[in-house]
Amino acid sequence: MSVIIGIDLGTTKSVVAYMEGGKPRVIPDAKGNPILPSAVAFTGEGILVGEPAKRRALARPQETVYSVKRFMGKGLEDVKSDLVFLPFHLFPEHLDVVRFEVGERQYTPPEVSAFILKELKQRAEAHLGTEIKKAVITVPAYFNDSQRQATKDAGRISGLEVLRIVNEPTAAALAYGLNLRKQGTIAVYDLGGGTFDISLLKIKDGIFEVLATGGDTHLGGDDIDNRLIDFLREDLEREGKLSLRTSEVTLQALKEAVETAKCQLSEAERAEIAVPLPGGAGEFRRALDRSTFESLASPVVERTVPPCRQALKDAGLRPEDIDEVILVGGSTLIPIVRKTVEKVFGKVPHSELNPREVVALGAAIQAGILAGGIRDMLLLDVTPLSLGIEVMGGVIGVLIPRNSTIPTHAQEVFTTYVDGQVSVDIHVLQGERELVKDNRSLARFQLKGVAPMAAGLPRIAVNFLLDANGILNVTAKDQRSDKEQSIEVKPSYGLTDEEVDRMIQESFEHAEEDMGARLLIDAKTEAQTVLQAAKKALKEGTHLVLEAEEKNIQEAICGLEEALEGEDRHAVRDRLDRLNNVTLHLAEVLMDEGLSRSVKDRRAEEILER
Amino acid sequence: MNLTVLEMGDKKKTLGVHLCWNCQQETGPSPFCDRCLKIQPPGPEMDYFTFMGLSLVPKIDLKALEEIFHNLSRKLHPDFYQDKSEREKALSLENSAVLNRAYRTLRDPVRRAEYLVQLEEGPDAISGNHPPQELLEEILEYHERLEELRGLSPKDEGRREEMAQGLEQVKAQFQRKEADLFQGLEDLFERWDQKEQEARRALLEETKRLLSKRNYIRNVIRDIEDALTPEEASA
């Protein structure tokens, strides 16, 4: 079977891993960096992903989309509060799916995520030297059906078949189970950039059974950053005589600065914040000590406590029943987070495996299980939210309670209310509240082609099946005729299959222009290396070349440096080739000299030895 | 609430016997064909006890049940059918769904008892709407307190606090009664293997009475919890 990769598609950072010799391994980029910032920049030249996109955001924030995970499976109304901090422009005419407006084009969150997935796919292909077509992708345990479906769509658009959607905390538990042979009852506390999950699991003889899960898909390190931004906003606006609402570049710089300060404060007692002010107005500088930071972060961290208590209650466990608490997600590096976890569970939490990489490692293990390479491990996860249908009076009738092990199903028999009625509407919801309006609408199903009969006579059995991804599948059967009943599905949020197909098509069509930006970066990186080598060679070999040749090389160096200032990849390539050509002779003579010198040196050594 | 309606009666005799979709031979209630070993659809008439290979009695050893659940999971879970045909994939999904639902139902004594009663008497056999006679006094008291708490103005912090404490006590009282009920159910389970029709009927009626009472108590506890924790503004 071909290689299946495991991907942690995070709010702020993403990681890809695979199984090698029975062990999960993270795949780094060409420079050895395992972490890909989850940022995508849409430039006139094409699309940038990761670090270059993040750098681009500092100069051109309107062109860069980050934290796209917060928008997955959401409608316009859901995300209004986020936009206060984000410089994105949303296309206002679609209410059911968020659309980012970048330049001439619009992108849905699955399309933006697909660029990140594509980058990770290419990284894996370059590393493994083989084409990758299948993946396991992780999502927060508390993601609802629409958010999971959107993640699966992102995979399809990127050219990956998503074999399984795995919950992040359970993926982490898999990694701990395999690497450290953990057994017993464990709690996984996962606080990432944008989401929070708590999962309680029982591990026994290779079976990882999730007992309960809880969380908040809108709670993470980003929220701490936002508190810091809010704290500094007034001072900065006064000193810089500007408004952060309109100064997107300064907002972006402030965002970078507080994030860096937050990370530093996990180790240090103090951190400096420095934000360049526009128009040469100098710099905005503030010192932040840890206690101020903690008083700002504390309300965010405290919000993780009720989901922990609820999960314990749902699992019928007391804190003392938990054998171990494992920390996952970059935000758990913050000391006050660790203190809070210790307070809730009454034991010191730990994180032997890198909290930033452990989820991807777990995804790779699940990929290994699906590929058939791992036979003795099995993950039994649960659905985080109750699934129900709208019943008379605008209330929800629960069919599948939360924390049910998936896959699971429920069957309900429907009939008609009016004589001769030929269709029946079913409204499917997800959530824990009594009233329909307080829950998440998943989809409206219409049972069509019901044989006209007296009211109450038709019997249509509808099967609601939650698969191992936590995604809903609905089938219906006419119990009288035993025939499959046709169903028309209108997802409340998210893309239809046709839309996803169209996006796949588009991604092929735009592939060339999207590649442009990547080729530019590759060319620039190569140019930097060649430039350095040429300068060094010229310094060492001046005595070996004629003046005219030296002048030629100097000119070629200047030419390439000039091209590097611009964004024209063809110019960079041309001048790079030119520099390569004019230095050929120099390289040769240097090598000759080096060879003869090394031979001489060896002789000297030999003589000395004797 | 359990919405799966299972029709018992005559079908018990031929339980699970059907033709294998693959080899077309007659095969039994196991999830795998007796002959060609291919995975089979879970029979619509099959109850959770039979599915788990247990006899239809409510007393279950939870450790043994967990072991059965794990063993069947290792055989049925979709993870292990990735390289199989689409039909087998779908069947593994269906079987896993039934298995997980069965385990959830059987491992909890109350759900297990409810399920058994429903198998015998249909889905509407247990109500939770009638206040049990023996609890009338406590129920009246709780209603009074709840009404008063709801009528209090938000400014009256002190009185509110006092009322909340009182309600916590009432809640604890009901929780003790619920715990007694669990014990009562376990005792009933011990006597379940009565063969005589008359004795069986009496047992079933007693189980139904306990379950209805339990439902009522659970609703009371939930009402109190709702009253004590004000709803958040949004979900």
Side-chain angles (χ1 to χ4, degrees):
Chain A
M1 206 168 193
S2 55
V3 180
I4 307 172
I5 49 174
I7 294 176
D8 172 9
L9 184 60
T11 309
T12 52
K13 295 169 177 82
S14 297
V15 182
V16 58
Y18 77 115
M19 289 299 286
E20 187 190 69
K23 285 225 154 199
R25 277 180 215 289
V26 163
I27 305 176
D29 67 6
K31 288 179 198 147
N33 189 358
I35 309 277
L36 177 74
S38 302
V40 182
F42 299 87
T43 75
E45 277 282 311
I47 285 158
L48 302 172
V49 181
E51 210 47 69
K54 232 181 140 186
R55 277 199 303 274
R56 182 91 181 176
L58 286 172
R60 309 284 296 265
Q62 312 87 328
E63 290 180 355
T64 309
V65 178
Y66 50 84
S67 295
V68 62
K69 193 169 173 180
R70 290 200 160 199
F71 298 87
M72 295 287 270
K74 297 276 181 82
L76 205 53
E77 277 299 313
D78 303 323
V79 299
K80 279 202 168 142
S81 64
D82 282 304
L83 293 172
V84 180
F85 293 104
L86 301 174
F88 308 152
H89 297 286
L90 295 188
F91 192 73
E93 277 166 44
H94 292 268
L95 294 175
D96 52 345
V97 180
V98 174
R99 277 164 217 263
F100 303 104
E101 217 165 15
V102 212
E104 300 279 286
R105 284 175 67 187
Q106 296 167 23
Y107 294 94
T108 60
E111 285 172 287
V112 178
S113 299
F115 288 113
I116 299 167
L117 292 174
K118 233 181 252 179
E119 182 72 25
L120 294 171
K121 176 177 182 265
Q122 284 164 357
R123 184 186 279 192
E125 285 172 342
H127 187 85
L128 301 171
T130 173
E131 201 188 352
I132 308 282
K133 287 180 181 159
K134 295 172 178 176
V136 168
I137 303 181
T138 61
V139 297
Y142 217 58
F143 253 21
N144 66 27
D145 178 272
S146 323
Q147 292 167 306
R148 286 166 195 270
Q149 190 60 55
T151 306
K152 231 181 149 185
D153 291 342
R156 262 181 76 197
I157 297 167
S158 75
L160 285 169
E161 184 192 347
V162 182
L163 293 186
R164 178 65 50 82
I165 299 283
V166 182
N167 294 332
E168 286 155 13
T170 27
L174 276 182
Y176 272 90
L178 183 78
N179 282 26
L180 303 169
R181 299 267 149 222
K182 297 271 181 225
Q183 295 268 355
T185 308
I186 62 165
V188 182
Y189 179 102
D190 180 357
L191 189 61
T195 56
F196 168 65
D197 280 325
I198 177 76
S199 282
L200 307 177
L201 297 97
K202 191 159 139 190
I203 308 178
K204 195 178 169 191
D205 305 326
I207 299 229
F208 292 65
E209 190 185 339
V210 180
L211 303 173
T213 194
D216 188 333
T217 55
H218 223 125
L219 175 60
D222 273 3
D223 296 287
I224 297 176
D225 296 354
N226 289 344
R227 298 263 310 170
L228 297 176
I229 290 174
D230 249 3
F231 177 68
L232 297 167
R233 172 187 291 262
E234 211 174 292
D235 282 5
L236 189 151
E237 288 186 336
R238 200 181 46 244
E239 272 181 40
K241 297 183 186 63
L242 52 82
S243 161
L244 284 179
R245 241 169 237 283
T246 48
S247 308
E248 284 153 343
V249 172
T250 311
L251 175 63
Q252 199 58 39
L254 177 62
K255 205 177 143 54
E256 280 273 323
V258 299
E259 199 196 322
T260 312
K262 176 183 73 177
C263 295
Q264 287 168 350
L265 284 169
S266 289
E267 306 280 334
E269 287 298 320
R270 272 169 69 87
E272 266 319 304
I273 287 170
V275 179
L277 293 170
E283 240 181 1
F284 169 80
R285 294 184 82 90
R286 283 292 182 280
L288 195 63
D289 60 33
R290 191 186 279 180
S291 70
T292 310
F293 169 76
E294 293 195 340
S295 67
L296 287 168
S298 166
V300 176
V301 182
E302 278 301 314
R303 279 171 58 201
T304 65
V305 176
C308 291
R309 301 241 156 92
Q310 185 64 48
L312 281 168
K313 196 177 163 204
D314 286 353
L317 296 172
R318 295 157 303 168
E320 53 267 36
D321 297 326
I322 305 291
D323 298 320
E324 287 181 62
V325 185
I326 291 167
L327 296 176
V328 182
S331 300
T332 59
L333 296 167
I334 302 172
I336 190 182
V337 173
R338 293 178 175 245
K339 270 182 240 158
T340 305
V341 180
E342 191 174 337
K343 192 181 74 193
V344 174
F345 291 98
K347 46 186 66 70
V348 182
H350 56 97
S351 51
E352 294 94 328
L353 302 179
N354 184 341
R356 290 191 202 280
E357 295 177 6
V358 64
V359 169
L361 296 178
I365 296 170
Q366 180 62 45
I369 296 172
L370 294 177
I374 303 170
R375 277 281 164 203
D376 53 349
M377 286 171 88
L378 176 61
L379 175 59
L380 299 170
D381 218 322
V382 300
T383 175
L385 297 158
S386 300
L387 184 102
I389 49 173
E390 178 169 352
V391 294
M392 295 287 256
V395 296
I396 183 171
V398 173
L399 297 177
I400 297 174
R402 72 161 179 272
N403 291 321
S404 292
T405 306
I406 48 174
T408 188
H409 74 136
Q411 190 175 292
E412 180 81 327
V413 177
F414 290 87
T415 187
T416 52
Y417 294 102
V418 186
D419 289 347
Q421 190 179 333
V422 289
S423 68
V424 179
D425 293 318
I426 304 170
H427 186 195
V428 183
L429 303 146
Q430 213 169 19
E432 310 310 321
R433 306 281 297 275
E434 284 294 323
L435 297 179
V436 166
K437 66 176 175 62
D438 296 327
N439 291 293
R440 187 75 177 165
S441 170
L442 288 191
R444 287 172 192 276
F445 296 90
Q446 192 170 46
L447 300 174
K448 295 173 91 176
V450 178
M453 279 184 248
L457 272 187
R459 293 183 64 79
I460 300 144
V462 179
N463 191 30
F464 300 87
L465 179 80
L466 273 181
D467 66 15
N469 303 312
I471 293 177
L472 176 67
N473 303 266
V474 177
T475 51
K477 202 173 223 176
D478 187 330
Q479 284 191 330
R480 295 186 177 278
S481 65
D482 210 27
K483 269 197 201 137
E484 287 290 316
Q485 180 83 42
S486 85
I487 305 176
E488 195 179 278
V489 187
K490 285 201 194 91
S492 306
Y493 300 91
L495 307 167
T496 60
D497 273 353
E498 292 75 39
E499 283 175 299
V500 175
D501 286 339
R502 188 175 48 71
M503 286 168 185
I504 295 170
Q505 193 56 39
E506 276 178 11
S507 85
F508 284 130
E509 282 161 15
H510 290 288
E512 200 172 325
E513 82 183 55
D514 295 347
M515 272 306 276
R518 194 193 164 79
L519 291 173
L520 175 65
I521 291 172
D522 290 350
K524 281 189 171 181
T525 316
E526 196 184 331
Q528 295 287 6
T529 321
V530 173
L531 265 178
Q532 267 182 16
K535 284 179 183 167
K536 188 165 167 258
L538 202 55
K539 211 169 129 197
E540 285 171 5
T542 327
H543 60 287
L544 297 169
V545 291
L546 296 172
E547 206 174 309
E549 190 180 348
E550 190 185 337
K551 196 168 156 253
N552 264 343
I553 296 174
Q554 279 295 2
E555 270 175 19
I557 288 177
C558 287
L560 183 55
E561 278 175 337
E562 217 170 84
L564 278 178
E565 299 287 315
E567 302 286 314
D568 182 352
R569 81 180 136 91
H570 297 291
V572 176
R573 272 279 158 225
D574 286 350
R575 304 206 177 157
L576 180 60
D577 288 345
R578 180 166 156 69
L579 180 60
N580 270 329
N581 282 333
V582 297
T583 49
L584 262 179
H585 173 249
L586 173 62
E588 262 169 38
V589 291
L590 266 178
M591 206 189 286
D592 284 348
E593 205 203 31
L595 259 179
S596 55
R597 196 189 299 142
S598 74
V599 173
K600 271 188 218 150
D601 286 351
R602 180 154 355 116
R603 286 212 180 114
E605 269 170 37
E606 282 166 11
I607 293 163
L608 279 176
E609 266 175 34
R610 282 172 195 164
Chain B
M1 177 166 46
N2 203 315
L3 289 145
T4 319
V5 186
L6 286 134
E7 290 167 39
M8 300 299 288
D10 286 351
K11 284 183 185 166
K12 268 184 192 163
K13 287 177 213 146
T14 54
L15 193 68
V17 177
H18 65 279
L19 290 185
C20 167
W21 57 271
N22 183 51
C23 68
Q24 305 296 332
Q25 301 289 316
E26 206 166 80
T27 178
S30 143
F32 301 95
C33 174
D34 297 341
R35 291 162 196 272
C36 72
L37 304 177
K38 289 273 186 196
I39 189 164
Q40 300 295 310
E45 71 277 22
M46 180 153 1
D47 67 88
Y48 292 159
F49 290 90
T50 314
F51 188 86
M52 302 284 271
L54 298 164
S55 49
L56 270 163
V57 289
K59 191 175 149 56
I60 287 181
D61 174 5
L62 289 179
K63 271 222 155 76
L65 183 72
E66 186 187 50
E67 205 158 300
I68 295 172
F69 173 60
H70 285 174
N71 283 338
L72 280 172
S73 291
R74 285 186 196 278
K75 289 179 186 160
L76 297 173
H77 197 274
D79 276 11
F80 306 126
Y81 287 79
Q82 289 293 317
D83 53 349
K84 297 280 174 14
S85 69
E86 286 306 312
R87 178 163 199 160
E88 285 164 280
K89 276 184 195 169
L91 288 175
S92 117
L93 188 58
E94 259 183 72
N95 272 293
S96 287
V98 174
L99 173 63
N100 289 332
R101 192 101 196 179
Y103 182 52
R104 185 184 172 83
T105 306
L106 297 188
R107 74 174 168 209
D108 178 80
V110 173
R111 282 200 282 263
R112 190 193 315 148
E114 279 176 343
Y115 180 73
L116 255 186
V117 171
Q118 284 169 345
L119 273 184
E120 302 269 346
E121 303 203 342
D124 302 321
I126 304 149
S127 92
N129 302 327
H130 305 296
Q133 286 300 315
E134 63 273 30
L135 293 178
L136 271 184
E137 213 170 294
E138 286 99 327
I139 288 166
L140 281 176
E141 194 195 333
Y142 127 82
H143 268 297
E144 256 167 46
R145 285 174 188 255
L146 211 58
E147 284 308 309
E148 194 182 340
L149 182 74
R150 283 182 182 143
L152 279 181
S153 91
K155 286 179 206 145
D156 207 346
E157 275 295 331
R159 182 80 186 121
R160 215 181 164 73
E161 190 81 357
E162 212 175 292
M163 289 300 304
Q165 271 179 13
L167 268 174
E168 283 290 356
Q169 279 170 16
V170 178
K171 182 178 140 191
Q173 241 174 43
F174 277 105
Q175 276 170 332
R176 275 195 297 278
K177 297 214 179 293
E178 197 184 15
D180 290 347
L181 276 178
F182 288 145
Q183 193 49 53
L185 264 183
E186 297 285 351
D187 292 346
L188 278 180
F189 290 172
E190 293 289 340
R191 289 156 45 202
W192 197 266
D193 48 4
Q194 304 264 5
K195 293 282 180 296
E196 223 175 299
Q197 191 67 24
E198 197 74 1
R200 256 188 93 86
R201 182 100 344 245
L203 267 178
L204 202 64
E205 284 308 314
E206 178 63 10
T207 309
K208 268 162 68 179
R209 201 182 61 77
L210 282 186
L211 289 173
S212 296
K213 189 169 162 185
R214 189 262 174 180
N215 279 354
Y216 195 89
I217 290 176
R218 199 188 43 189
N219 287 339
V220 170
I221 292 173
R222 206 182 57 186
D223 280 355
I224 295 177
E225 281 175 349
D226 282 354
L228 291 177
T229 49
E231 287 244 314
E232 280 166 39
S234 68

